[in-house]
Amino acid sequence: MATKNGRTPLFPVKATMPWTFAAGSTERARTDKALADIRATSFDIANEINGKEVRTGSTLPIVTPHEHSHQLGQFHKAGPAETQAAIDAALEASTWWSRVPWEERVAPFLRAADMLEHGPWREKLNAATMLELSKTTYQADIDAACETLDFIRYNVENMLKMYAEQPSSFPGAWNSVEYRPLEGFVFAVSPFNFTCMNNLAFGPAVLGNTIVWKPAESASLVAHLSLQLLKEAGLPDGVINVVYGHGQDIGPTAIAHKDLAAVHFTGSTATFQSLWKQVGNNIENYRNYPRVVGETGGKDFIVVHPSAHIDEVAAACIRGAYEFQGQKCSAASRLYAPKSMWPALRERLIEMTNQVVVGDPTLPTTYVGAVINENQFRKHEAVLASARAEGIVVVGGNTDGSKGWFVDPTILEVSDPNSRYITEEHFAPILTTYVYDDNKWEEVLKIVDSSTAYGLTGAVFAQDMKAIQQADHALRYSAGNFYINDKPTGSVVGQQPFGGARASGTNDKAGSLWSSIRFSSPRTTKVNHLPVSDFGYPHLDKK
Ligand code: NAD
């Protein structure tokens, strides 16, 4: 039976607190055991179509980035035939899933959130994230556990807020809006860098959509385990179908299908633009105009006013630029420092960078693990080789791919504010600095705004209120997430709705009400209580 709208209050949704992993804590012991279990398993991950495991025999290994000789197993690559089967399964499931009352639809999601919060799923997903993505315990927990379950709970809360948004009715008629799921299937395409990007599939599904999910090649294990969690929590077969492998083997079949209802994408700007172009080229063949929702790259800034506190700036640079090896779309990757502060700030950054431990992220003292794979590593290797040759390295600047894909936490200094080092996304622990004259504050704000194509995140550090207002005004469109005296990373679902415009995406703010609206197709119903039986109007009266 289909329910339309209606709202029963949900428990108040609160942000999930990360575990501390302090020495001797139970969570540390539980995580160590989960790490050992995952390491000892050889996964053989199949595509999941209508609840069935589909193995193609064409496989890729699941590699641990910080120890690339160690494989966690393999996954089976999908091609056009498996993609077509996944689409068929999603379309079949949409005939009934879209009509399941929302109270029943949300049940597996909320159950999965509770199961994840309290373990053993929490340490299992965290451990897989540490081993497959090379995250430290804390970075894994804020992603795989906290953000995943915040997304799930806020999706439900947002859905109910959306359902509560209803038109007026007056005596004589009753009006309502039904928030139908989209007609067709949602193609969810996720990046490698966050386990919680399972939300690209989960978010639309809770609204009644059915999904074909293509996770990044380097995040296949965490995607597989995320879906296993949801299935164990009761998600029916066919609602979320997963196809693993390369974009070019899967994307064209999904994009060309007439029942493509939406593309829900997170990843690089180049891939998103190519998907959007494919949708545009196929526009005459769709049943509906597909929604195209994408969050993409960034070149996120920290701009420092001379009135800022130097230690706060330095800590924000280290955390913002180096955590998870700078592989966050929000990572600080350009720093604008005043000349008066730079010598002392430079020393502070060198000192702090030298304290950062690079290595195996499963060891509690490690701050920076390895970058995700050899392709990325080779790109960073080339960038840093050029930086060394140009003599712009302040600290770091080396790489070591002998055991794992390690890139030194690095500070560069350029004299040209349009240099590629300070305008192009590297996705590595590299922070490029441009030093400006203290009396050119307003000019530097213009440079921050205009020198990159992106508009994702950014931070201003200042104690002077006027300077903060100037930055707030000048950088209004430079970042969708703007921070005052804080690092530009670490947004929390429900607190700092995340996303940017310009080349950084469609800014639909993942996990927010605005995002839920994009995956709904409202239908308005008017029930006329007093139908008329005369077609005329008073002004037609000839008397
Ligand atoms: P990517 O663009 O290489 O890949 C993203 C996904 O697209 C992967 O699943 C990939 O296999 C798939 N893909 C590639 N070509 C395809 C095709 N032709 N058809 C269908 N799918 C295709 O990005 P990545 O390296 O995985 O992730 C890093 C990027 O993601 C960075 O640019 C980062 O800034 C961005 N990112 C943005 C956000 C955000 O919220 N703005 C969040 C996380 C990551």
Side-chain angles (χ1 to χ4, degrees):
M1 187 197 78
T3 50
K4 286 195 174 176
N5 305 302
R7 177 176 157 83
T8 49
L10 192 67
F11 50 86
V13 180
K14 287 190 299 206
T16 312
M17 293 311 290
W19 280 343
T20 65
F21 300 99
S25 61
T26 51
E27 64 255 29
R28 199 191 270 196
R30 281 163 57 178
T31 305
D32 284 344
K33 161 128 190 11
L35 282 166
D37 290 347
I38 299 258
R39 262 190 82 91
T41 310
S42 182
F43 290 88
D44 183 42
I45 297 177
N47 301 285
E48 177 119 4
I49 300 170
N50 203 17
K52 307 220 167 27
E53 296 191 339
V54 178
R55 290 186 169 76
T56 58
S58 170
T59 60
L60 281 175
I62 305 166
V63 176
T64 302
H66 47 273
E67 187 189 344
H68 46 55
S69 60
H70 184 78
Q71 296 185 358
L72 300 162
Q74 60 180 10
F75 64 89
H76 290 254
K77 286 189 288 173
E82 292 73 30
T83 309
Q84 184 59 53
I87 294 169
D88 293 344
L91 292 175
E92 162 61 24
S94 76
T95 60
W96 53 270
W97 179 248
S98 67
R99 294 181 173 278
V100 171
W102 70 260
E103 297 88 336
E104 291 171 35
R105 225 169 48 218
V106 302
F109 292 92
L110 293 179
R111 181 154 183 252
D114 286 343
M115 288 161 63
L116 180 57
E117 185 161 17
H118 301 292
W121 271 103
R122 184 163 182 164
E123 53 267 27
K124 189 172 180 179
L125 208 52
N126 282 355
T129 302
M130 293 167 75
L131 292 172
E132 189 183 26
L133 308 189
S134 200
K135 292 200 179 194
T136 61
T137 26
Y138 183 76
Q139 292 297 319
D141 193 48
I142 58 174
D143 163 18
C146 301
E147 197 161 349
T148 296
L149 58 88
D150 285 354
F151 269 137
I152 292 175
R153 289 171 178 160
Y154 275 102
N155 287 337
V156 177
E157 171 77 6
N158 295 330
M159 179 187 77
L160 296 180
K161 281 189 190 151
M162 181 171 77
Y163 287 180
E165 181 63 37
Q166 291 295 321
S168 306
S169 293
F170 296 96
W174 175 55
N175 303 314
S176 62
V177 167
E178 174 194 5
Y179 292 90
R180 301 171 301 184
L182 302 177
E183 189 182 21
F185 71 96
V186 174
F187 184 40
V189 182
S190 54
F192 75 79
N193 61 340
F194 280 95
T195 300
C196 68
M197 285 295 139
N198 49 31
N199 184 58
L200 294 175
F202 294 5
V206 82
L207 298 164
N209 295 287
T210 54
I211 318 294
V212 173
W213 178 17
K214 196 219 100 47
E217 297 87 319
S218 301
S220 300
L221 176 59
V222 295
H224 165 77
L225 292 177
S226 297
L227 189 65
Q228 297 316 302
L229 163 66
L230 202 50
K231 286 184 67 172
E232 205 175 299
L235 185 78
D237 293 343
V239 174
I240 297 178
N241 305 279
V242 190
V243 277
Y244 297 98
H246 296 311
Q248 67 270 22
D249 298 335
I250 295 166
T253 306
I255 300 284
H257 200 284
K258 75 172 174 25
D259 290 311
L260 178 75
V263 177
H264 198 194
F265 176 84
T266 299
S268 65
T269 300
T271 306
F272 185 52
Q273 291 186 353
S274 116
L275 293 179
W276 199 322
K277 277 184 202 155
Q278 292 171 44
V279 169
N281 288 336
N282 199 41
I283 203 72
E284 289 161 356
N285 303 322
Y286 294 119
R287 182 191 293 252
N288 288 275
Y289 292 110
R291 306 277 168 93
V292 183
V293 175
E295 293 300 332
T296 66
K299 187 74 184 175
D300 310 295
F301 60 84
I302 293 180
V303 56
V304 185
H305 187 259
S307 66
H309 289 161
I310 187 168
D311 287 342
E312 294 166 5
V313 174
C317 289
I318 301 293
R319 285 188 167 186
Y322 298 162
E323 284 176 354
F324 186 40
Q325 298 79 268
Q327 297 172 122
K328 299 185 185 186
C329 48
S330 56
S333 56
R334 49 188 181 129
L335 167 68
Y336 299 84
K339 207 175 214 167
S340 60
M341 189 189 288
W342 181 234
L345 179 58
R346 190 176 184 279
E347 285 319 299
R348 210 66 203 96
L349 290 174
I350 293 172
E351 189 192 321
M352 285 175 155
T353 301
N354 287 331
Q355 284 172 31
V356 164
V357 176
V358 181
D360 178 348
T362 65
L363 301 174
T365 47
T366 298
Y367 202 89
V368 168
V371 299
I372 191 72
N373 56 33
E374 182 169 7
N375 272 354
Q376 293 294 319
F377 175 81
R378 298 289 170 214
K379 277 200 251 166
H380 308 325
E381 192 178 45
V383 166
L384 291 181
S386 314
R388 286 196 307 272
E390 290 179 42
I392 58 171
V393 177
V394 173
V395 64
N398 292 303
T399 54
D400 178 359
S402 54
K403 285 201 179 124
W405 307 122
F406 293 108
V407 175
D408 273 357
T410 297
I411 309 272
L412 306 178
E413 182 183 345
V414 294
S415 53
D416 174 4
N418 294 311
S419 142
R420 68 184 172 107
Y421 299 101
I422 202 163
T423 55
E424 291 172 12
E425 186 183 49
H426 294 130
F427 231 51
I430 305 174
L431 178 66
T432 306
T433 312
Y434 173 73
V435 180
Y436 70 91
D437 281 337
D438 288 36
N439 59 6
K440 295 212 167 136
W441 173 242
E442 289 181 55
E443 285 87 332
V444 86
L445 293 179
K446 283 194 188 124
I447 290 170
V448 173
D449 178 55
S450 61
S451 56
T452 80
Y454 299 107
L456 195 51
T457 78
V460 57
F461 277 79
Q463 293 304 307
D464 179 335
M465 230 179 118
K466 187 172 165 220
I468 293 174
Q469 279 175 350
Q470 286 170 319
D472 189 28
H473 180 72
L475 304 176
R476 189 159 183 233
Y477 283 95
S478 321
N481 283 62
F482 186 57
Y483 295 82
I484 297 169
N485 291 321
D486 201 357
K487 65 184 165 55
T489 57
S491 69
V492 176
V493 182
Q495 293 181 37
Q496 296 92 24
F498 189 80
R502 295 186 176 169
S504 293
T506 53
N507 198 16
D508 289 293
K509 302 292 187 200
S512 75
L513 178 58
W514 303 287
S515 176
S516 300
I517 288 168
R518 298 282 272 141
F519 295 97
S520 306
S521 180
R523 178 173 76 150
T524 305
T525 303
K526 173 186 176 184
V527 181
N528 190 357
H529 297 163
L530 304 168
V532 293
S533 49
D534 178 3
F535 78 93
Y537 291 98
H539 68 86
L540 298 174
D541 199 343
K542 292 194 178 115
K543 277 185 250 157

